[in-house]
Amino acid sequence: MSSSTLTPSVNLRPYDSVTRFFHWAMAVGFAWMLFTALVRFFADETPLSDAVWPWHRPVGFTLFLLWWLRAAWAFMHRAQYQALSMAAKWGHRFIYALMLAVPSIALLRQYGSGRAFNYFGIPVMQASDNTIKWMTDLGGLLHGELGWLLFATVLGHVSMVFWHRRDSQTNVLPKMLG
Ligand code: HEM
Ligand code: HEM
């Protein structure tokens, strides 16, 4: 048997621990964002939403900050990244784009609304009398919609991970589990 039949065509070595930490910490964060969005959608103005919804903005802002660290780390360590297919590669890029676009659009809306924004007591945006209509319109139009699109894309991502587990040559889950 030649060595090429034994060697997987795709690199299945585990990612470094920082990449894995970012992936799973942010996965938990996005699961929380999905929960808060579902609660708002299905049970707005209930005690559950009163308890959960105030955590949408601070956790969302944390994910926005983590995105920059994760993207910088992924770029510096891009040599280890080898996707199974072009679809997987562009799918991952699309998730990165949405993970940035969704909170950015919300933050633009927040800024444009003229309302103050504090992050765990740290002032991020001061209140202002000026409102910037295009910013609030953009947020109203796209933040929720792109957020749902992100959740749907991630559902596809997770489905593909489990679909690929049926063949040891494409089983990428251990790469992210370490
Ligand atoms: C980080 C990722 C985020 C995701 C995935 C996300 C997702 C969502 C989704 C799906 C909705 C729609 C809920 C519904 O239809 O009732 C929503 C609403 C909302 N989000 Fe976020 N969000 C994120 C970050 C943020 C941030 C950082 C802020 C504010 C600084 C924010 C502020 C809001 C507000 C005010 C709403 C209600 C108005 C609307 O539906 O657009 N979100 N979010
Ligand atoms: C149960 C949930 C999840 C599982 C089992 C899972 C599993 C995986 C696995 C196995 C990989 C490696 C794929 C490869 O290298 O070919 C991966 C990569 C990736 N996953 Fe997930 N994932 C989950 C949730 C999420 C969530 C919630 C997000 C983002 C919102 C996400 C974003 C990404 C991205 C962007 C990559 C590309 C590698 C990187 O730069 O981190 N995943 N995931």
Side-chain angles (χ1 to χ4, degrees), residues 28-80:
V28 170
F30 279 102
W32 172 257
M33 297 308 284
L34 173 62
F35 177 62
T36 61
L38 286 173
V39 166
R40 184 174 190 278
F41 190 81
F42 288 111
D44 202 13
E45 294 183 12
T46 61
L48 178 64
S49 111
D50 290 349
V52 156
W53 184 251
W55 293 95
H56 184 85
R57 282 173 227 226
V59 175
F61 190 65
T62 306
L63 290 166
F64 171 78
L65 297 178
L66 283 174
W67 187 93
W68 294 96
L69 298 174
R70 177 177 181 175
W73 186 268
F75 184 74
M76 285 189 304
H77 298 84
R78 60 192 178 281
Q80 71 179 328

Short mmCIF file of all heavy atoms in Angstrom, two decimals, residues 28-80:
data_model
loop_
_atom_site.label_atom_id
_atom_site.label_comp_id
_atom_site.label_asym_id
_atom_site.label_seq_id
_atom_site.Cartn_x
_atom_site.Cartn_y
_atom_site.Cartn_z
N VAL A 28 -20.38 29.26 22.71
CA VAL A 28 -21.26 29.40 23.89
C VAL A 28 -21.92 30.79 23.86
O VAL A 28 -23.12 30.94 24.09
CB VAL A 28 -20.46 29.19 25.20
CG1 VAL A 28 -21.30 29.57 26.42
CG2 VAL A 28 -19.99 27.74 25.31
N GLY A 29 -21.12 31.81 23.55
CA GLY A 29 -21.64 33.18 23.49
C GLY A 29 -22.76 33.30 22.45
O GLY A 29 -23.81 33.90 22.72
N PHE A 30 -22.54 32.72 21.27
CA PHE A 30 -23.58 32.81 20.22
C PHE A 30 -24.80 31.98 20.57
O PHE A 30 -25.93 32.34 20.20
CB PHE A 30 -23.01 32.46 18.85
CG PHE A 30 -22.27 33.61 18.23
CD1 PHE A 30 -20.89 33.68 18.23
CD2 PHE A 30 -22.98 34.69 17.69
CE1 PHE A 30 -20.22 34.78 17.70
CE2 PHE A 30 -22.32 35.78 17.15
CZ PHE A 30 -20.93 35.83 17.15
N ALA A 31 -24.60 30.87 21.29
CA ALA A 31 -25.77 30.09 21.75
C ALA A 31 -26.61 30.96 22.69
O ALA A 31 -27.84 30.97 22.63
CB ALA A 31 -25.31 28.81 22.45
N TRP A 32 -25.93 31.73 23.55
CA TRP A 32 -26.64 32.64 24.44
C TRP A 32 -27.38 33.71 23.64
O TRP A 32 -28.54 34.04 23.93
CB TRP A 32 -25.66 33.28 25.43
CG TRP A 32 -26.30 34.36 26.25
CD1 TRP A 32 -26.16 35.70 26.07
CD2 TRP A 32 -27.24 34.20 27.32
NE1 TRP A 32 -26.93 36.38 26.97
CE2 TRP A 32 -27.61 35.49 27.76
CE3 TRP A 32 -27.79 33.09 27.96
CZ2 TRP A 32 -28.51 35.70 28.79
CZ3 TRP A 32 -28.69 33.31 29.00
CH2 TRP A 32 -29.03 34.60 29.40
N MET A 33 -26.72 34.25 22.61
CA MET A 33 -27.37 35.27 21.78
C MET A 33 -28.62 34.71 21.11
O MET A 33 -29.64 35.39 21.01
CB MET A 33 -26.40 35.81 20.72
CG MET A 33 -25.18 36.52 21.28
SD MET A 33 -25.56 37.81 22.46
CE MET A 33 -26.14 39.12 21.38
N LEU A 34 -28.52 33.45 20.66
CA LEU A 34 -29.69 32.81 20.04
C LEU A 34 -30.82 32.70 21.06
O LEU A 34 -31.98 33.02 20.76
CB LEU A 34 -29.30 31.42 19.50
CG LEU A 34 -30.45 30.55 18.98
CD1 LEU A 34 -31.14 31.23 17.80
CD2 LEU A 34 -29.94 29.17 18.55
N PHE A 35 -30.46 32.28 22.27
CA PHE A 35 -31.48 32.14 23.32
C PHE A 35 -32.16 33.49 23.59
O PHE A 35 -33.39 33.59 23.64
CB PHE A 35 -30.81 31.58 24.58
CG PHE A 35 -31.74 31.46 25.76
CD1 PHE A 35 -32.85 30.63 25.70
CD2 PHE A 35 -31.51 32.17 26.93
CE1 PHE A 35 -33.72 30.52 26.78
CE2 PHE A 35 -32.37 32.06 28.01
CZ PHE A 35 -33.48 31.24 27.93
N THR A 36 -31.36 34.55 23.75
CA THR A 36 -31.94 35.87 24.05
C THR A 36 -32.85 36.33 22.90
O THR A 36 -33.92 36.89 23.14
CB THR A 36 -30.86 36.94 24.32
OG1 THR A 36 -30.05 37.10 23.16
CG2 THR A 36 -29.99 36.61 25.51
N ALA A 37 -32.39 36.08 21.65
CA ALA A 37 -33.18 36.52 20.50
C ALA A 37 -34.50 35.73 20.43
O ALA A 37 -35.55 36.30 20.14
CB ALA A 37 -32.38 36.36 19.21
N LEU A 38 -34.43 34.42 20.71
CA LEU A 38 -35.65 33.60 20.68
C LEU A 38 -36.63 34.06 21.76
O LEU A 38 -37.84 34.16 21.52
CB LEU A 38 -35.30 32.12 20.87
CG LEU A 38 -34.65 31.42 19.68
CD1 LEU A 38 -34.21 30.00 20.08
CD2 LEU A 38 -35.58 31.37 18.47
N VAL A 39 -36.08 34.34 22.95
CA VAL A 39 -36.94 34.80 24.05
C VAL A 39 -37.61 36.12 23.65
O VAL A 39 -38.82 36.31 23.85
CB VAL A 39 -36.13 34.95 25.36
CG1 VAL A 39 -36.93 35.73 26.39
CG2 VAL A 39 -35.75 33.58 25.90
N ARG A 40 -36.84 37.02 23.06
CA ARG A 40 -37.43 38.30 22.66
C ARG A 40 -38.51 38.10 21.60
O ARG A 40 -39.56 38.73 21.62
CB ARG A 40 -36.34 39.24 22.14
CG ARG A 40 -36.87 40.61 21.80
CD ARG A 40 -35.77 41.56 21.42
NE ARG A 40 -36.27 42.91 21.34
CZ ARG A 40 -36.90 43.41 20.29
NH1 ARG A 40 -37.10 42.67 19.23
NH2 ARG A 40 -37.32 44.66 20.29
N PHE A 41 -38.21 37.19 20.66
CA PHE A 41 -39.13 36.98 19.54
C PHE A 41 -40.44 36.34 20.01
O PHE A 41 -41.52 36.75 19.61
CB PHE A 41 -38.45 36.09 18.48
CG PHE A 41 -39.20 36.01 17.19
CD1 PHE A 41 -39.09 37.01 16.24
CD2 PHE A 41 -40.03 34.92 16.92
CE1 PHE A 41 -39.80 36.95 15.05
CE2 PHE A 41 -40.74 34.84 15.73
CZ PHE A 41 -40.62 35.86 14.79
N PHE A 42 -40.31 35.31 20.87
CA PHE A 42 -41.50 34.53 21.24
C PHE A 42 -42.14 34.98 22.55
O PHE A 42 -43.31 34.67 22.80
CB PHE A 42 -41.16 33.04 21.34
CG PHE A 42 -40.91 32.40 20.00
CD1 PHE A 42 -39.64 31.99 19.64
CD2 PHE A 42 -41.94 32.22 19.10
CE1 PHE A 42 -39.41 31.41 18.40
CE2 PHE A 42 -41.72 31.64 17.85
CZ PHE A 42 -40.45 31.25 17.50
N ALA A 43 -41.38 35.65 23.42
CA ALA A 43 -41.92 35.94 24.76
C ALA A 43 -41.53 37.34 25.21
O ALA A 43 -41.11 37.55 26.35
CB ALA A 43 -41.40 34.89 25.75
N ASP A 44 -41.66 38.30 24.28
CA ASP A 44 -41.30 39.68 24.63
C ASP A 44 -42.23 40.20 25.74
O ASP A 44 -43.40 39.79 25.82
CB ASP A 44 -41.43 40.56 23.37
CG ASP A 44 -40.60 41.82 23.50
OD1 ASP A 44 -39.76 41.88 24.42
OD2 ASP A 44 -40.77 42.74 22.67
N GLU A 45 -41.68 41.06 26.58
CA GLU A 45 -42.44 41.67 27.69
C GLU A 45 -43.03 40.62 28.64
O GLU A 45 -44.19 40.72 29.06
CB GLU A 45 -43.51 42.62 27.13
CG GLU A 45 -42.84 43.79 26.45
CD GLU A 45 -43.81 44.84 25.94
OE1 GLU A 45 -44.99 44.79 26.29
OE2 GLU A 45 -43.35 45.71 25.19
N THR A 46 -42.24 39.61 28.94
CA THR A 46 -42.59 38.63 29.97
C THR A 46 -41.47 38.69 31.01
O THR A 46 -40.39 39.24 30.73
CB THR A 46 -42.66 37.20 29.39
OG1 THR A 46 -41.36 36.89 28.86
CG2 THR A 46 -43.69 37.07 28.28
N PRO A 47 -41.67 38.10 32.20
CA PRO A 47 -40.59 38.10 33.20
C PRO A 47 -39.32 37.44 32.66
O PRO A 47 -38.21 37.87 32.97
CB PRO A 47 -41.19 37.31 34.36
CG PRO A 47 -42.67 37.47 34.21
CD PRO A 47 -42.94 37.57 32.75
N LEU A 48 -39.49 36.40 31.82
CA LEU A 48 -38.30 35.72 31.26
C LEU A 48 -37.51 36.69 30.39
O LEU A 48 -36.29 36.81 30.52
CB LEU A 48 -38.73 34.49 30.44
CG LEU A 48 -37.58 33.73 29.76
CD1 LEU A 48 -36.63 33.13 30.80
CD2 LEU A 48 -38.12 32.62 28.84
N SER A 49 -38.20 37.40 29.52
CA SER A 49 -37.48 38.34 28.65
C SER A 49 -36.92 39.51 29.45
O SER A 49 -35.82 40.00 29.16
CB SER A 49 -38.36 38.76 27.48
OG SER A 49 -38.73 40.08 27.56
N ASP A 50 -37.61 39.94 30.52
CA ASP A 50 -37.06 41.01 31.37
C ASP A 50 -35.75 40.56 32.02
O ASP A 50 -34.85 41.37 32.25
CB ASP A 50 -38.06 41.38 32.49
CG ASP A 50 -39.27 42.11 31.92
OD1 ASP A 50 -39.23 42.49 30.74
OD2 ASP A 50 -40.26 42.25 32.67
N ALA A 51 -35.64 39.25 32.31
CA ALA A 51 -34.42 38.74 32.96
C ALA A 51 -33.29 38.52 31.95
O ALA A 51 -32.12 38.76 32.25
CB ALA A 51 -34.73 37.42 33.68
N VAL A 52 -33.66 38.08 30.74
CA VAL A 52 -32.66 37.61 29.78
C VAL A 52 -32.20 38.73 28.83
O VAL A 52 -31.02 38.85 28.52
CB VAL A 52 -33.30 36.42 29.00
CG1 VAL A 52 -32.68 36.22 27.65
CG2 VAL A 52 -33.26 35.16 29.83
N TRP A 53 -33.16 39.54 28.38
CA TRP A 53 -32.84 40.50 27.31
C TRP A 53 -31.75 41.53 27.68
O TRP A 53 -30.93 41.88 26.83
CB TRP A 53 -34.12 41.19 26.81
CG TRP A 53 -33.84 42.09 25.65
CD1 TRP A 53 -33.87 43.44 25.63
CD2 TRP A 53 -33.43 41.68 24.34
NE1 TRP A 53 -33.50 43.92 24.40
CE2 TRP A 53 -33.22 42.86 23.58
CE3 TRP A 53 -33.20 40.44 23.73
CZ2 TRP A 53 -32.80 42.83 22.25
CZ3 TRP A 53 -32.78 40.41 22.40
CH2 TRP A 53 -32.59 41.60 21.68
N PRO A 54 -31.70 42.02 28.96
CA PRO A 54 -30.64 42.99 29.28
C PRO A 54 -29.23 42.43 29.02
O PRO A 54 -28.27 43.20 28.95
CB PRO A 54 -30.84 43.26 30.78
CG PRO A 54 -32.27 42.94 31.03
CD PRO A 54 -32.61 41.82 30.10
N TRP A 55 -29.10 41.11 28.88
CA TRP A 55 -27.78 40.51 28.63
C TRP A 55 -27.46 40.37 27.14
O TRP A 55 -26.39 39.89 26.77
CB TRP A 55 -27.69 39.14 29.32
CG TRP A 55 -27.70 39.31 30.80
CD1 TRP A 55 -28.77 39.24 31.64
CD2 TRP A 55 -26.58 39.66 31.62
NE1 TRP A 55 -28.40 39.51 32.93
CE2 TRP A 55 -27.05 39.76 32.94
CE3 TRP A 55 -25.22 39.88 31.36
CZ2 TRP A 55 -26.20 40.09 34.01
CZ3 TRP A 55 -24.39 40.21 32.41
CH2 TRP A 55 -24.89 40.31 33.72
N HIS A 56 -28.39 40.78 26.29
CA HIS A 56 -28.14 40.68 24.84
C HIS A 56 -27.01 41.63 24.42
O HIS A 56 -26.07 41.22 23.76
CB HIS A 56 -29.44 41.00 24.09
CG HIS A 56 -29.35 40.84 22.60
ND1 HIS A 56 -29.55 39.64 21.97
CD2 HIS A 56 -29.08 41.75 21.61
CE1 HIS A 56 -29.41 39.80 20.66
NE2 HIS A 56 -29.12 41.07 20.41
N ARG A 57 -27.10 42.88 24.84
CA ARG A 57 -26.11 43.88 24.40
C ARG A 57 -24.72 43.62 24.98
O ARG A 57 -23.74 43.59 24.20
CB ARG A 57 -26.56 45.28 24.77
CG ARG A 57 -27.62 45.80 23.83
CD ARG A 57 -28.17 47.12 24.34
NE ARG A 57 -29.61 47.09 24.30
CZ ARG A 57 -30.36 48.07 23.81
NH1 ARG A 57 -29.81 49.17 23.37
NH2 ARG A 57 -31.66 47.96 23.79
N PRO A 58 -24.57 43.42 26.31
CA PRO A 58 -23.20 43.22 26.82
C PRO A 58 -22.54 41.95 26.29
O PRO A 58 -21.34 41.98 25.96
CB PRO A 58 -23.36 43.16 28.34
CG PRO A 58 -24.81 43.11 28.62
CD PRO A 58 -25.55 43.58 27.40
N VAL A 59 -23.31 40.86 26.17
CA VAL A 59 -22.68 39.63 25.63
C VAL A 59 -22.36 39.84 24.15
O VAL A 59 -21.29 39.44 23.67
CB VAL A 59 -23.57 38.39 25.88
CG1 VAL A 59 -22.99 37.16 25.22
CG2 VAL A 59 -23.74 38.15 27.38
N GLY A 60 -23.27 40.51 23.43
CA GLY A 60 -23.01 40.81 22.02
C GLY A 60 -21.76 41.66 21.84
O GLY A 60 -20.95 41.42 20.94
N PHE A 61 -21.60 42.63 22.72
CA PHE A 61 -20.41 43.50 22.62
C PHE A 61 -19.14 42.70 22.96
O PHE A 61 -18.09 42.90 22.33
CB PHE A 61 -20.56 44.72 23.55
CG PHE A 61 -19.53 45.77 23.34
CD1 PHE A 61 -19.45 46.47 22.14
CD2 PHE A 61 -18.60 46.08 24.32
CE1 PHE A 61 -18.48 47.45 21.94
CE2 PHE A 61 -17.62 47.06 24.14
CZ PHE A 61 -17.57 47.75 22.94
N THR A 62 -19.24 41.77 23.92
CA THR A 62 -18.09 40.92 24.25
C THR A 62 -17.69 40.10 23.01
O THR A 62 -16.50 39.98 22.69
CB THR A 62 -18.44 39.96 25.42
OG1 THR A 62 -18.92 40.74 26.51
CG2 THR A 62 -17.24 39.14 25.85
N LEU A 63 -18.70 39.56 22.32
CA LEU A 63 -18.41 38.76 21.12
C LEU A 63 -17.77 39.62 20.03
O LEU A 63 -16.88 39.17 19.31
CB LEU A 63 -19.70 38.10 20.60
CG LEU A 63 -20.24 36.98 21.48
CD1 LEU A 63 -21.67 36.62 21.10
CD2 LEU A 63 -19.34 35.75 21.39
N PHE A 64 -18.22 40.88 19.96
CA PHE A 64 -17.64 41.82 18.99
C PHE A 64 -16.15 42.04 19.30
O PHE A 64 -15.30 42.01 18.41
CB PHE A 64 -18.43 43.13 19.06
CG PHE A 64 -17.82 44.27 18.29
CD1 PHE A 64 -17.96 44.35 16.91
CD2 PHE A 64 -17.11 45.28 18.95
CE1 PHE A 64 -17.40 45.40 16.20
CE2 PHE A 64 -16.56 46.33 18.25
CZ PHE A 64 -16.70 46.40 16.87
N LEU A 65 -15.83 42.22 20.60
CA LEU A 65 -14.42 42.43 20.98
C LEU A 65 -13.60 41.15 20.72
O LEU A 65 -12.48 41.22 20.20
CB LEU A 65 -14.32 42.81 22.46
CG LEU A 65 -14.98 44.13 22.87
CD1 LEU A 65 -14.85 44.34 24.39
CD2 LEU A 65 -14.38 45.31 22.12
N LEU A 66 -14.18 39.99 21.08
CA LEU A 66 -13.46 38.73 20.88
C LEU A 66 -13.19 38.46 19.40
O LEU A 66 -12.18 37.84 19.05
CB LEU A 66 -14.26 37.55 21.47
CG LEU A 66 -14.23 37.39 22.99
CD1 LEU A 66 -15.18 36.27 23.42
CD2 LEU A 66 -12.81 37.08 23.47
N TRP A 67 -14.10 38.93 18.55
CA TRP A 67 -13.94 38.69 17.10
C TRP A 67 -12.58 39.20 16.62
O TRP A 67 -11.89 38.51 15.86
CB TRP A 67 -15.06 39.39 16.30
CG TRP A 67 -15.02 39.05 14.84
CD1 TRP A 67 -15.70 38.04 14.22
CD2 TRP A 67 -14.23 39.68 13.81
NE1 TRP A 67 -15.40 38.01 12.88
CE2 TRP A 67 -14.50 39.00 12.60
CE3 TRP A 67 -13.32 40.73 13.79
CZ2 TRP A 67 -13.90 39.34 11.38
CZ3 TRP A 67 -12.71 41.07 12.58
CH2 TRP A 67 -13.00 40.39 11.40
N TRP A 68 -12.19 40.39 17.07
CA TRP A 68 -10.94 41.00 16.59
C TRP A 68 -9.73 40.18 17.03
O TRP A 68 -8.79 39.97 16.25
CB TRP A 68 -10.82 42.45 17.08
CG TRP A 68 -11.89 43.29 16.47
CD1 TRP A 68 -13.09 43.61 17.01
CD2 TRP A 68 -11.88 43.86 15.15
NE1 TRP A 68 -13.84 44.35 16.12
CE2 TRP A 68 -13.11 44.52 14.98
CE3 TRP A 68 -10.96 43.88 14.10
CZ2 TRP A 68 -13.45 45.19 13.79
CZ3 TRP A 68 -11.28 44.55 12.93
CH2 TRP A 68 -12.51 45.19 12.79
N LEU A 69 -9.79 39.70 18.28
CA LEU A 69 -8.68 38.87 18.78
C LEU A 69 -8.63 37.55 18.01
O LEU A 69 -7.57 37.08 17.59
CB LEU A 69 -8.85 38.60 20.28
CG LEU A 69 -8.85 39.82 21.19
CD1 LEU A 69 -9.16 39.42 22.63
CD2 LEU A 69 -7.49 40.52 21.12
N ARG A 70 -9.81 36.95 17.83
CA ARG A 70 -9.87 35.66 17.13
C ARG A 70 -9.39 35.79 15.68
O ARG A 70 -8.64 34.95 15.19
CB ARG A 70 -11.32 35.14 17.15
CG ARG A 70 -11.50 33.85 16.39
CD ARG A 70 -12.93 33.38 16.53
NE ARG A 70 -13.18 32.12 15.85
CZ ARG A 70 -14.33 31.48 15.91
NH1 ARG A 70 -15.31 31.95 16.62
NH2 ARG A 70 -14.50 30.34 15.25
N ALA A 71 -9.87 36.85 15.00
CA ALA A 71 -9.49 37.03 13.59
C ALA A 71 -7.98 37.27 13.48
O ALA A 71 -7.32 36.74 12.58
CB ALA A 71 -10.28 38.19 12.98
N ALA A 72 -7.42 38.06 14.40
CA ALA A 72 -5.98 38.33 14.36
C ALA A 72 -5.21 37.03 14.59
O ALA A 72 -4.24 36.73 13.88
CB ALA A 72 -5.60 39.37 15.42
N TRP A 73 -5.67 36.24 15.56
CA TRP A 73 -4.99 34.97 15.85
C TRP A 73 -5.11 34.01 14.65
O TRP A 73 -4.13 33.37 14.25
CB TRP A 73 -5.60 34.33 17.11
CG TRP A 73 -4.86 33.11 17.52
CD1 TRP A 73 -5.15 31.82 17.14
CD2 TRP A 73 -3.70 33.03 18.35
NE1 TRP A 73 -4.23 30.95 17.69
CE2 TRP A 73 -3.34 31.66 18.43
CE3 TRP A 73 -2.93 33.99 19.02
CZ2 TRP A 73 -2.24 31.23 19.17
CZ3 TRP A 73 -1.83 33.55 19.76
CH2 TRP A 73 -1.50 32.19 19.83
N ALA A 74 -6.30 33.93 14.09
CA ALA A 74 -6.52 33.04 12.94
C ALA A 74 -5.63 33.46 11.77
O ALA A 74 -5.04 32.61 11.09
CB ALA A 74 -7.99 33.07 12.52
N PHE A 75 -5.48 34.77 11.57
CA PHE A 75 -4.65 35.25 10.46
C PHE A 75 -3.18 34.89 10.70
O PHE A 75 -2.49 34.41 9.80
CB PHE A 75 -4.83 36.76 10.29
CG PHE A 75 -4.09 37.30 9.10
CD1 PHE A 75 -4.55 37.05 7.82
CD2 PHE A 75 -2.91 38.02 9.28
CE1 PHE A 75 -3.83 37.52 6.71
CE2 PHE A 75 -2.20 38.50 8.19
CZ PHE A 75 -2.67 38.24 6.90
N MET A 76 -2.74 35.09 11.94
CA MET A 76 -1.31 34.82 12.25
C MET A 76 -1.00 33.33 12.15
O MET A 76 0.13 32.95 11.89
CB MET A 76 -0.99 35.32 13.66
CG MET A 76 -0.87 36.83 13.73
SD MET A 76 -0.24 37.40 15.32
CE MET A 76 -1.35 36.70 16.48
N HIS A 77 -2.01 32.49 12.39
CA HIS A 77 -1.81 31.04 12.40
C HIS A 77 -2.55 30.37 11.24
O HIS A 77 -3.00 29.25 11.35
CB HIS A 77 -2.24 30.45 13.74
CG HIS A 77 -1.44 31.00 14.89
ND1 HIS A 77 -1.75 32.19 15.49
CD2 HIS A 77 -0.33 30.54 15.49
CE1 HIS A 77 -0.85 32.45 16.44
NE2 HIS A 77 0.02 31.47 16.45
N ARG A 78 -2.66 31.10 10.13
CA ARG A 78 -3.48 30.59 9.02
C ARG A 78 -2.90 29.34 8.38
O ARG A 78 -3.62 28.59 7.71
CB ARG A 78 -3.72 31.69 7.98
CG ARG A 78 -2.47 32.25 7.32
CD ARG A 78 -2.82 33.52 6.55
NE ARG A 78 -1.67 34.15 5.92
CZ ARG A 78 -0.78 34.91 6.57
NH1 ARG A 78 -0.92 35.14 7.87
NH2 ARG A 78 0.24 35.46 5.91
N ALA A 79 -1.59 29.09 8.57
CA ALA A 79 -0.96 27.92 7.93
C ALA A 79 -1.61 26.62 8.39
O ALA A 79 -1.66 25.65 7.64
CB ALA A 79 0.53 27.92 8.23
N GLN A 80 -2.11 26.59 9.64
CA GLN A 80 -2.70 25.34 10.15
C GLN A 80 -4.10 25.08 9.58
O GLN A 80 -4.62 23.98 9.70
CB GLN A 80 -2.80 25.39 11.67
CG GLN A 80 -3.86 26.35 12.18
CD GLN A 80 -3.98 26.40 13.69
OE1 GLN A 80 -3.77 25.41 14.36
NE2 GLN A 80 -4.31 27.58 14.21
#
